[in-house]
Amino acid sequence: MNTNSIISFIRDVYKTDEFIPLHAPTFQGNEKKYVLDTLESTFVSSVGKYVDDFERKMEVYTGTARAVATVNGTAALSAALYLAGVKRGDLVVTQALTFVATCNALFHLGAEPVFIDVSRVSLGLCPVALDNWLEENAQLTEQECVHKKTRQVIRAAVPMHTFGHPVELDELIAVCNKWHIALVEDAAESLGSFYKGKHTGTLGDYGALSFNGNKIITTGGGGMVFCKTTESGTRAKHVTTTAKVPHPYEFYHDEPGFNYRMPNLNAALGCGQVERLESFLEQKRKIAQGYETFFAGSEYSFVREPEYAQSNYWLNAVICDSDEARNDLLTHLNEAKVMARPIWKLMHRLPMFADAMRDDLAVSEFIEARLVNLPSSPTI
């Protein structure tokens, strides 16, 4: 299959000869109405009805006990890790095959990442690799998991649902329970994805979403923490709103907190977007099915949802048969103004995480060298 045929197929899907972005937002519902309403009300900052409305809508859709809106996805993950007990000097196990925000959230808390390989099934954290690394490097002491050599507490594991494809959560939860470590789901890319009928971000101790402009729905900038209980949700709301104790006029804060509040203006946009989420998901699944059919039998392997899951297909991807083929595909598509991107550089290749502990990352390196993301906007 030559690259010209791929370009022609994508242009036919999007029915344009103009530039095709990787993932662009669309605003064709009540978004403008709700945003203008916030301007007319003057409640454009952290107080206003749309923040509450957005949180409630997300609770109903995902089934989480409590959803807490934040200013962005990194803030959501940082808050989720803090709520899970991650402290300065702790180790947190995650995948090297992820966007840098996963590791930045750890850095902000003073924790150190440990990079474990991903599964070929999900492209997310591999439960077998996680358990193997813990068996070799960790031990349990008074209900804490500690590193044998450094004696640092291994506090949590952070799987990321890569491109919206759910990780193997049952197996990961079993490993985390065995080793007494928290499971925090980086669900930034997976709104609308379900693991065995349950929404991603709701099965771990906490989950974190992103509503950046390139996500399946957007609030411009924004994120959300999913909490398993109403009690943990109350605490999440408290610490993300500067830990201010409610009072008619006094400013009293009972612990260190974060100013991670989502502005009402952004939440209004989110309320308009979430009303269209189901139609976005339907369109994205049609696009994914088209890609899968087109690439069937070719040298390109389409990345499809795991059998146990229903993915939102946030970003469609193919795995090329070599790094040379990957580079050739990336070059030709971008020269033709069809936006395509490689997967992220593995985190241990970045200077600030180069010294982090890690396993062999064999699958991660294979995927890094061969994967290409293709246009995935729900605009057909």
Side-chain angles (χ1 to χ4, degrees):
M1 177 180 291
N2 62 52
T3 55
N4 286 334
S5 65
I6 298 173
I7 292 166
S8 295
F9 172 77
I10 295 172
R11 290 208 172 279
D12 184 61
V13 168
Y14 286 98
K15 297 177 175 57
T16 181
D17 292 326
E18 303 298 321
F19 171 74
I20 299 175
L22 194 65
H23 198 289
T26 62
F27 308 111
Q28 298 172 347
N30 288 316
E31 294 94 342
K32 184 175 181 180
K33 174 185 174 182
Y34 296 159
V35 170
L36 288 175
D37 185 46
T38 65
L39 297 178
E40 292 169 0
S41 73
T42 74
F43 287 98
V44 297
S45 192
S46 57
V47 176
K49 69 175 184 178
Y50 286 105
V51 176
D52 292 337
D53 287 351
F54 189 43
E55 290 176 342
R56 300 297 84 76
K57 288 176 185 292
M58 292 299 293
E59 289 166 3
V60 170
Y61 178 77
T62 65
T64 190
R66 185 72 168 88
V68 176
T70 61
V71 69
N72 56 50
T74 305
L77 184 56
S78 180
L81 291 162
Y82 176 81
L83 292 161
V86 174
K87 299 177 178 64
R88 183 170 297 278
D90 285 350
L91 296 177
V92 175
V93 181
T94 190
Q95 52 202 71
L97 192 75
T98 187
F99 181 57
V100 72
T102 306
C103 296
N104 285 341
L106 298 176
F107 176 81
H108 296 158
L109 294 173
E112 299 176 23
V114 176
F115 296 126
I116 301 300
D117 210 357
V118 297
S119 164
R120 281 298 299 267
V121 173
S122 69
L123 304 188
L125 187 63
C126 175
V128 175
L130 173 61
D131 194 40
N132 288 344
W133 186 88
L134 289 168
E135 287 285 356
E136 183 176 348
N137 295 281
Q139 67 182 76
L140 290 173
T141 304
E142 297 178 353
Q143 298 302 301
E144 280 190 334
C145 184
V146 298
H147 191 268
K148 290 178 182 178
K149 292 183 179 180
T150 68
R151 311 309 297 173
Q152 291 169 280
V153 175
I154 304 170
R155 190 74 65 182
V158 182
M160 199 270 286
H161 302 294
T162 307
F163 308 140
H165 300 303
V167 297
E168 297 153 277
L169 280 164
D170 282 346
E171 294 83 355
L172 285 168
I173 290 170
V175 173
C176 289
N177 288 341
K178 171 185 173 181
W179 289 96
H180 301 289
I181 60 179
L183 180 68
V184 177
E185 295 178 62
D186 185 343
E189 302 172 355
S190 64
L191 177 61
S193 295
F194 292 83
Y195 173 83
K196 297 182 180 179
K198 295 181 179 179
H199 197 282
T200 52
T202 68
L203 287 89
D205 295 281
Y206 293 93
L209 266 70
S210 170
F211 303 113
N212 188 40
N214 66 347
K215 296 301 187 291
I216 191 162
I217 70 169
T218 184
T219 57
M224 188 164 279
V225 182
F226 284 169
C227 307
K228 290 190 76 170
T229 66
T230 54
E231 293 78 13
S232 60
T234 298
R235 174 156 169 73
K237 190 70 170 179
H238 184 61
V239 300
T240 57
T241 55
T242 71
K244 184 179 184 295
V245 176
H247 191 278
Y249 51 84
E250 291 286 0
F251 289 90
Y252 184 76
H253 309 259
D254 60 359
E255 63 175 307
F258 306 95
N259 187 9
Y260 283 169
R261 299 169 290 187
M262 176 183 283
N264 196 41
L265 193 67
N266 297 82
L269 183 61
C271 285
Q273 286 270 284
V274 77
E275 291 174 354
R276 305 180 61 222
L277 176 57
E278 289 291 358
S279 66
F280 289 160
L281 291 168
E282 290 175 7
Q283 292 176 51
K284 289 178 72 62
R285 182 161 287 271
K286 289 178 182 178
I287 294 170
Q289 290 170 343
Y291 276 130
E292 185 173 11
T293 300
F294 176 75
F295 285 109
S298 75
E299 65 271 35
Y300 300 98
S301 176
F302 179 73
V303 177
R304 69 181 312 276
E305 64 191 1
E307 291 184 358
Y308 55 74
Q310 179 178 331
S311 174
N312 66 4
Y313 282 106
W314 172 57
L315 283 187
N316 291 293
V318 291
I319 297 174
C320 305
D321 58 8
S322 67
D323 56 346
E324 292 85 359
R326 182 205 77 151
N327 294 338
D328 182 66
L329 182 59
L330 285 167
T331 298
H332 283 85
L333 263 63
N334 282 286
E335 285 179 348
K337 298 183 179 179
V338 175
M339 192 173 182
R341 288 291 182 266
I343 204 166
W344 319 279
K345 282 191 179 296
L346 298 183
M347 292 297 99
H348 71 286
R349 302 196 197 283
L350 305 181
M352 57 281 199
F353 304 121
D355 297 328
M357 299 179 198
R358 59 183 182 270
D359 67 4
D360 65 8
L361 301 175
V363 176
S364 302
E365 291 182 350
F366 178 89
I367 299 299
E368 179 194 36
R370 292 166 174 80
L371 188 139
V372 173
N373 285 124
L374 301 171
S376 303
S377 303
T379 54
I380 60 173

